Amino acid sequence: MPPSLRFGGRVMDFRRLVEPAGLLYGVAARQAVQRGNALPLAGGPAAFTCADLIEDDARSGFVPVASIPASWQPELARVARSPVSGMLPETPLVMGILNLTPDSFSDGGHHLETANAVTGGLAMVQAGAGVLDLGGESTRPGALPVTPQQEWDRIGPALIALRAQAKGTVLSVDTRNSLVMEQALAAGADVINDVSALVHDPDALPLLAERECGVVLMHMRGVPETMAQHAVYQDVACEVVRELGKRVCAAVEGGIARERLVIDPGLGFAKTTEQNLEMLSRLPLLANLGCRVLLGVSRKRMIGALTGVSDPARRDPATQAATLEALPLGNSLLRVHAVEGMVQAVKLWRAVHAT
């Protein structure tokens, strides 16, 4: 049975996907929509002029929006509609990564001391971060797990201090463990960011169903220790969307309102460099899920492979270029290590595209 959700009073399953293409921006986008030659993409700054209609494994090829059959109008409406997230400000947000670990691939150990973590987090806020994402467990490929208590011991003091000193900033906690989720929410966290999409800990979904926080569901197969073995796809973009769709359905059926959800395609998790690149080039497919999108590609191995830059700390320019690919989807969350450069890039992109 395919996963399904109710949109606009109608049950929608994810056997049928619309892949938007032919994007326009600014004045051109608005005029094309007014003339019936385009539709907004996720209610954002872009409009799409054609789409590939995908049903199971069958594809129509790219068809002009004005020529799409009436039987596909519900799917089109789903892709065009702006996702609502009452948990976060309705604007693109730069999310600063605050790793409180000794072994994260790029900056492990930099923020292990609470004082350094707080100083680093406040600097990100000053640079324009709208969200801080605190993590106490490395999920790099091959990383070994820590206990939930060890994870909370790393996160807790910094979260409490930042909640007191960065009152207007959204604080997210990157965890897959319900013990950490519960304590983080009690300490003032606004968002729970789970790389396992609420699969890892069976107590996570019922816990979050009782709260009012935002919830990020990320696509991954397996666990960090084994995920590289699962990077086998026939069509990576469609499979990621459908598998994320199952997790969205599970969350909604478990009591988490869809308006609280954010989705993350999980670049670098159970995906090769080539699969990451294809997913990045086909991000508009994510609009089929009707949720806000988080993109986290910062300094990842794929950037090193594509640019030849071996030092993760020197991959920020390419990180910014890759991360901008999420902005056509509207009020995206852009998860990066280097906040200031990303904030500048977003401002320029929005100015160019008149949004």
Side-chain angles (χ1 to χ4, degrees):
M1 186 76 176
S4 63
L5 281 176
R6 187 171 295 276
F7 285 79
R10 173 172 174 164
V11 173
M12 311 287 282
D13 67 51
F14 300 113
R15 291 181 52 231
R16 282 185 153 199
L17 300 175
V18 172
E19 181 160 9
L23 300 188
L24 299 173
Y25 301 90
V27 173
R30 290 190 288 272
Q31 290 183 351
V33 170
Q34 289 169 1
R35 293 171 181 167
N37 295 322
L39 287 170
L41 174 60
F48 60 101
T49 58
C50 59
D52 194 0
L53 311 178
I54 304 168
E55 187 161 8
D56 296 324
D57 296 327
R59 307 178 70 122
S60 68
F62 289 97
V63 177
V65 161
S67 301
I68 292 177
S71 61
W72 281 82
Q73 292 307 308
E75 287 77 17
L76 276 180
R78 181 177 67 195
V79 170
R81 185 180 297 116
S82 177
V84 177
S85 176
M87 306 298 111
L88 296 160
E90 292 290 335
T91 186
L93 294 170
V94 174
M95 173 187 270
I97 300 170
L98 199 58
N99 284 323
L100 309 173
T101 59
D103 57 344
S104 290
F105 77 95
S106 171
D107 58 355
H110 290 189
H111 300 126
L112 195 56
E113 296 295 327
T114 299
N116 292 342
V118 173
T119 299
L122 293 175
M124 290 180 186
V125 172
Q126 185 65 31
V131 186
L132 296 180
D133 193 38
L134 287 68
E137 178 188 26
S138 175
T139 51
R140 60 182 169 78
L144 297 176
V146 297
T147 69
Q149 188 59 52
Q150 288 173 315
E151 185 185 355
W152 174 245
D153 289 343
R154 294 172 178 176
I155 293 171
L159 174 63
I160 292 167
L162 285 167
R163 182 72 292 161
Q165 297 181 54
K167 296 184 185 301
T169 302
V170 176
L171 298 183
S172 167
V173 170
D174 181 357
T175 182
R176 52 188 178 148
N177 293 304
S178 61
L179 180 147
V180 178
M181 294 176 189
E182 185 168 20
Q183 297 192 72
L185 292 171
D190 304 289
V191 175
I192 296 297
N193 179 9
D194 186 349
V195 298
S196 81
L198 307 182
V199 169
H200 173 75
D201 186 334
D203 294 328
L205 198 163
L207 169 71
L208 297 181
E210 297 177 352
R211 307 305 171 94
E212 295 298 326
C213 60
V215 179
V216 180
L217 305 176
M218 194 195 78
H219 179 271
M220 178 172 62
R221 290 176 172 178
V223 294
E225 302 95 305
T226 65
M227 61 186 176
Q229 303 168 20
H230 301 281
V232 180
Y233 303 86
Q234 292 186 334
D235 183 324
V236 65
C238 287
E239 289 175 58
V240 165
V241 169
R242 286 173 174 146
E243 289 170 21
L244 269 176
K246 291 180 180 179
R247 299 311 306 153
V248 170
C249 290
V252 172
E253 290 167 1
I256 300 175
R258 185 171 59 86
E259 291 75 17
R260 294 171 52 195
L261 299 176
V262 176
I263 55 170
D264 178 348
L267 297 188
F269 289 80
K271 299 167 191 71
T272 65
T273 293
E274 293 74 18
Q275 290 161 352
N276 287 321
L277 193 59
E278 181 175 355
M279 189 70 241
L280 191 61
S281 73
R282 297 174 66 191
L283 287 181
L285 259 175
L286 291 169
N288 285 271
L289 299 180
C291 296
R292 204 160 173 178
V293 172
L294 184 155
L295 184 64
V297 67
S298 187
R299 299 181 179 176
K300 288 189 175 179
R301 183 181 300 177
M302 66 167 283
I303 292 179
L306 293 168
T307 63
V309 177
S310 58
D311 180 1
R314 294 180 55 237
R315 296 173 184 166
D316 292 328
T319 291
Q320 292 157 18
T323 304
L324 289 174
E325 293 295 319
L327 285 183
L329 284 158
N331 296 328
S332 303
L333 280 69
L334 313 175
R335 187 177 184 272
V336 296
H337 295 85
V339 167
E340 184 176 9
M342 194 71 243
V343 169
Q344 290 184 17
V346 171
K347 287 180 178 178
L348 186 59
W349 189 97
R350 297 184 76 191
V352 168
H353 294 294
T355 64

